[in-house]
């Protein structure tokens, strides 16, 4: 059954004033916020919870599996939402053209080939609809379906649960699930900081060199780390392949690349993480949590 485009949410509620957007930071400021999280006594526990929850999400998210198979595709999805949110906040429909998406992806160092493939896959899988642009018949408009709109809540919850473990106060997890407007706020705020030049992925370049561009790399890394954190046996290549709908050949290639880059070691046929992977993952989690926390709290800062 074809999925229809999601209807625009009620952003302009009578008497509702959108909160101010969070201040735009420098890379150094984001890194300082990430370092402050890493210094908290509960950080290791938060990383374990985040990793466990993300593995569970990625394992259960089979409908999303191909769409977010690597971080480049995941970034295309995430680039879509700020433009969509800005459109809704200004009274638009949220539908976007390829050109609008390409400009953001170009700045985010995602190639046009990845963008085209991701859009085609998203339409095929029912995450986006594609229709002629009434203002320019040469272009098409891409609009999210209900399935696509539900997606941010699913990948944000592991992060908000971890943030709630680290920072006392009102639960972000409850807030993000109870108020759709907070989602719109987040993507507008995060999108404007990205437009100003702050790209979190650049702050952990070597880790992203492996996990960012290779299909299944993040899944393999987190699966091994989650097993280690839970003091369970490391999964075999076949088990990882079955867990995330990969092929055993894909997993073997990822292991070889990870060993070459120093993120994995193989002992008596068992693949396991190295300190480089543990540190890279922790650094990325800290940056990701600091980024989300900054933009999910509308009370932070006051910019126009």
């Amino acid at each position: 059954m074809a999925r229809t485009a999601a209807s625009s949410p009620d952003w302009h509620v009578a008497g509702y004033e959108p909160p101010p957007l969070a201040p735009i930071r420098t890379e150094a400021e984001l890194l300082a916020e990430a370092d402050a999280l890493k210094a908290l006594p509960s950080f290791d526990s938060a990383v374990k919870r985040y990793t466990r929850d993300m593995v569970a999400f990625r394992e259960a998210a089979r409908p999303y599996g191909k769409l977010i198979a690597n971080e480049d595709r995941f970034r295309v999805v995430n680039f879509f939402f700020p433009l969509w949110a800005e459109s809704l906040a200004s009274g638009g429909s949220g539908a976007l053209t390829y050109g609008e998406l390409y400009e953001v992806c170009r700045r985010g160092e995602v190639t046009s080939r990845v963008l085209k493939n991701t859009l085609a896959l998203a339409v095929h899988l029912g995450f986006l609809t594609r229709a002629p642009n009434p203002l320019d018949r040469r272009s098409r408009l891409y609009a999210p379906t209900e399935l696509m709109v539900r997606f941010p809540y699913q990948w944000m919850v592991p992060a908000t649960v971890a943030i709630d473990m680290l920072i006392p106060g009102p639960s972000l997890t409850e807030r993000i699930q109870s108020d759709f407007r907070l989602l719109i706020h987040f993507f507008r705020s995060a999108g404007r900081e990205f437009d100003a030049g702050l790209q979190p992925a650049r702050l952990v370049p070597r880790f992203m060199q492996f996990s960012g561009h290779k299909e299944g790399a993040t899944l393999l890394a987190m699966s091994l780390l989650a097993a280690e954190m839970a003091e369970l046996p490391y999964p075999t290549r076949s088990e990882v392949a079955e867990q995330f709908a990969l092929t055993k050949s894909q997993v073997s290639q990822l292991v070889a690349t990870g060993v070459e880059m120093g993120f994995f070691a193989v002992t008596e046929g068992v693949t396991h993480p190295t300190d480089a992977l543990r540190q890279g993952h922790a650094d990325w989690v800290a940056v990701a949590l600091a980024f989300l926390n900054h933009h999910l709290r509308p009370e932070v800062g006051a910019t126009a």
Side-chain angles (χ1 to χ4, degrees):
M1 178 182 297
R3 295 181 176 90
T4 59
S7 58
S8 298
D10 194 4
W11 169 253
H12 293 290
V13 178
Y16 173 74
E17 290 293 332
L21 302 180
I24 293 172
R25 298 159 297 171
T26 64
E27 289 186 354
E29 288 171 330
L30 175 53
L31 280 173
E33 292 176 18
D35 287 341
L37 292 181
K38 287 193 288 187
L40 294 174
S42 54
F43 179 70
D44 287 347
S45 296
V47 171
K48 289 180 181 179
R49 178 63 184 267
Y50 175 83
T51 305
R52 186 196 75 186
D53 288 353
M54 281 300 293
V55 168
F57 157 62
R58 296 294 287 262
E59 185 176 9
R62 290 298 179 93
Y64 301 100
K66 286 295 182 182
L67 189 63
I68 57 174
N70 61 41
E71 292 303 314
D72 278 349
R73 288 188 194 169
F74 206 160
R75 290 168 73 190
V76 170
V77 173
N78 287 331
F79 292 156
F80 184 95
F81 281 109
L83 296 174
W84 168 76
E86 288 286 3
S87 173
L88 294 180
S90 63
S93 68
L96 305 170
T97 65
Y98 172 85
E100 290 173 311
L101 291 164
Y102 172 73
E103 179 58 28
V104 175
C105 287
R106 181 186 63 80
R107 294 199 303 273
E109 299 178 356
V110 174
T111 66
S112 60
R113 179 174 177 271
V114 170
L115 172 59
K116 289 177 181 177
N117 289 342
T118 304
L119 289 175
L121 187 61
V123 171
H124 175 71
L125 294 174
F127 293 96
L128 295 176
T129 61
R130 180 173 54 204
N133 183 355
L135 301 179
D136 182 356
R137 304 298 292 184
R138 297 169 299 177
S139 66
R140 297 289 184 271
L141 289 175
Y142 293 89
T145 64
E146 293 180 11
L147 183 63
M148 182 79 153
V149 172
R150 288 199 302 267
F151 177 61
Y153 293 101
Q154 298 181 50
W155 69 256
M156 279 186 179
V157 166
T160 59
V161 168
I163 292 170
D164 288 340
M165 292 175 63
L166 293 168
I167 301 174
S171 169
L172 274 184
T173 304
E174 293 179 1
R175 288 171 66 183
I176 194 66
Q177 293 177 316
S178 63
D179 190 350
F180 186 89
R181 296 169 301 190
L182 183 56
L183 184 71
I184 302 296
H185 167 85
F186 168 78
F187 281 116
R188 292 181 67 220
S189 184
R192 293 191 182 189
E193 188 169 64
F194 175 83
D195 282 344
L198 181 60
Q199 298 183 33
R202 290 182 178 177
L203 304 185
V204 282
R206 182 158 176 78
F207 180 72
M208 279 298 164
Q209 183 183 353
F210 174 65
S211 67
H213 307 302
K214 305 182 190 315
E215 183 169 343
T218 299
L219 304 177
L220 172 60
M222 288 199 301
S223 182
L224 294 174
L225 288 167
E228 182 175 82
M229 292 169 181
E231 299 183 352
L232 296 172
Y234 294 115
T236 65
R237 300 179 190 191
S238 296
E239 288 170 338
V240 171
E242 182 177 357
Q243 184 179 15
F244 299 112
L246 302 170
T247 68
K248 187 176 178 181
S249 175
Q250 279 180 290
V251 177
S252 294
Q253 291 174 3
L254 290 170
V255 168
T257 302
V259 168
E260 183 179 347
M261 296 183 68
F263 291 122
F264 303 139
V266 179
T267 304
E268 296 182 353
V270 177
T271 304
H272 55 88
T274 64
D275 286 340
L277 180 64
R278 297 182 188 101
Q279 188 61 56
H281 176 67
D283 288 345
W284 172 242
V285 171
V287 168
L289 296 184
F291 183 80
L292 265 72
N293 180 64
H294 184 77
H295 294 292
L296 278 172
R297 296 185 187 273
E299 63 273 15
V300 175
T303 62

